[in-house]
Amino acid sequence: MDRLAALIFDVDGTLADTERDGHRVAFNRAFAEAGLDWFWSEDRYGRLLRVTGGKERIRLYLSEDWPERLAEPDIEDRIKALHAAKTRHYVAMLSEGTIPLRPGVRRLLQEARRAGLRLAIATTTTPENVTGLLRANLGDAGPGWFDVIAAGDVVPAKKPAPDIFDYALRQLDLPPAACLALEDSENGVRSARAAGLPVVVTTNAYTRGEDFTGALAVLDGFGEPGVPARTVAGPVPADGYVGLSDLQAWHRAAVDRP
Ligand code: XBP
Ligand code: MG
């Protein structure tokens, strides 16, 4: 039996609700700055979230609304430039402290550190977005809490492909059964499961209702003392909110299963 040795966290939607009021706003600022009359509403952005990765999302939008632009010879350079501007806006928003961690995240990270578990990140987003979020919320030492920050274009195929979790596991030098992934989306669950990882889901407004087949547990958040987490599927946390002891018990049950 593999003991739980590491937690591997997704970022967007799991560590923080970054999409609607963070990434979406930063994309719209980059579009306006470039003189484009593109605007992603909350609903439209929710539909565009079916692909992971910001450059991939711009390409999806073009394929839907401006397919002829995808044939322009400089389109890849323009997408890259737009995306770099979007990252600049997003990082500026983070440094203004506008995006907090979701309830229970800091507590779980601290519990895991105290218990000697290793922490890692496996995300589709750009590396500086991750370090910016961690610094803004945990202080300058925040990124150092994680042994591995696997992010963005370090692998060619983004979630739902398993590549980013495979990469994080290689860096951790641990087998998947010794780790637990924490995710918020169907693409994330598919990616973690394809890498052989057990996975717990914490949903949010954009991902609620997605198909989380294969997850050990699906909750509407981690919760906090006095702020219960609601179980959507799977086990209920012992004290009403998700603690490290719940994650350890759920992981044990999953890896012990024949
Ligand atoms: C996150 C994403 C990212 C962010 C934007 O998915 O899909 O694309 O929305 O990040 P996950 P970039 O939570 O599954 O990792 O613009 O930096 O790509
Ligand atoms: Mg996510």
Side-chain angles (χ1 to χ4, degrees):
M1 184 197 83
D2 281 290
R3 270 172 63 86
L4 180 59
L7 300 180
I8 309 180
F9 282 86
D10 168 52
V11 174
D12 297 298
T14 302
L15 290 184
D17 265 324
T18 52
E19 294 291 6
R20 190 191 64 189
D21 301 328
H23 290 295
R24 184 185 69 90
V25 174
F27 278 113
N28 284 332
R29 286 184 185 166
F31 299 154
E33 191 178 65
L36 296 162
D37 62 353
W38 308 350
F39 177 79
W40 290 356
S41 68
E42 292 178 18
D43 278 358
R44 182 70 191 268
Y45 192 68
R47 293 193 296 279
L48 292 170
L49 278 174
R50 68 184 186 277
V51 299
T52 61
K55 293 185 287 294
E56 292 78 358
R57 199 161 294 140
I58 296 172
R59 266 182 227 120
L60 172 64
Y61 171 71
L62 288 174
S63 74
E64 289 178 350
D65 283 27
W66 308 90
E68 65 286 357
R69 291 209 178 182
L70 280 176
E72 290 170 7
D74 62 344
I75 191 65
E76 282 308 313
D77 290 342
R78 295 199 64 197
I79 291 173
K80 261 194 202 140
L82 264 178
H83 188 252
K86 175 263 170 176
T87 299
R88 176 166 44 76
H89 286 293
Y90 182 73
V91 168
M93 292 169 74
L94 289 173
S95 64
E96 288 155 15
T98 46
I99 305 181
L101 298 179
R102 290 187 69 185
V105 167
R106 172 197 285 267
R107 172 181 53 73
L108 269 176
L109 294 174
Q110 287 171 330
E111 268 189 74
R113 275 162 60 79
R114 275 199 301 273
L117 264 72
R118 298 169 70 196
L119 295 173
I121 296 274
T123 177
T124 296
T125 204
T126 305
E128 52 260 55
N129 298 350
V130 184
T131 46
L133 179 77
L134 296 175
R135 279 209 184 90
N137 286 285
L138 302 172
D140 282 345
W145 290 18
F146 296 83
D147 283 2
V148 175
I149 296 184
D153 296 327
V154 69
V155 290
K158 294 188 173 160
K159 299 174 188 176
D163 304 34
I164 198 72
F165 281 108
D166 287 338
Y167 178 90
L169 287 167
R170 275 199 305 278
Q171 300 291 311
L172 285 167
D173 196 20
L174 286 171
C179 303
L180 181 67
L182 290 312
E183 269 289 354
D184 73 304
S185 70
E186 179 175 338
N187 279 328
V189 170
R190 287 173 59 195
S191 173
R193 294 301 295 137
L197 282 157
V199 54
V200 167
V201 175
T202 164
T203 65
N204 57 58
Y206 273 135
T207 65
R208 176 179 310 144
E210 290 187 349
D211 179 358
F212 299 119
T213 301
L216 290 184
V218 181
L219 301 108
D220 67 352
F222 294 122
E224 284 285 39
V227 186
R230 196 176 63 83
T231 293
V232 180
V236 173
D239 295 321
Y241 60 91
V242 179
L244 181 62
S245 53
D246 296 302
L247 297 181
Q248 286 168 321
W250 300 344
H251 173 268
R252 201 176 312 121
V255 297
D256 280 353
R257 223 172 272 153

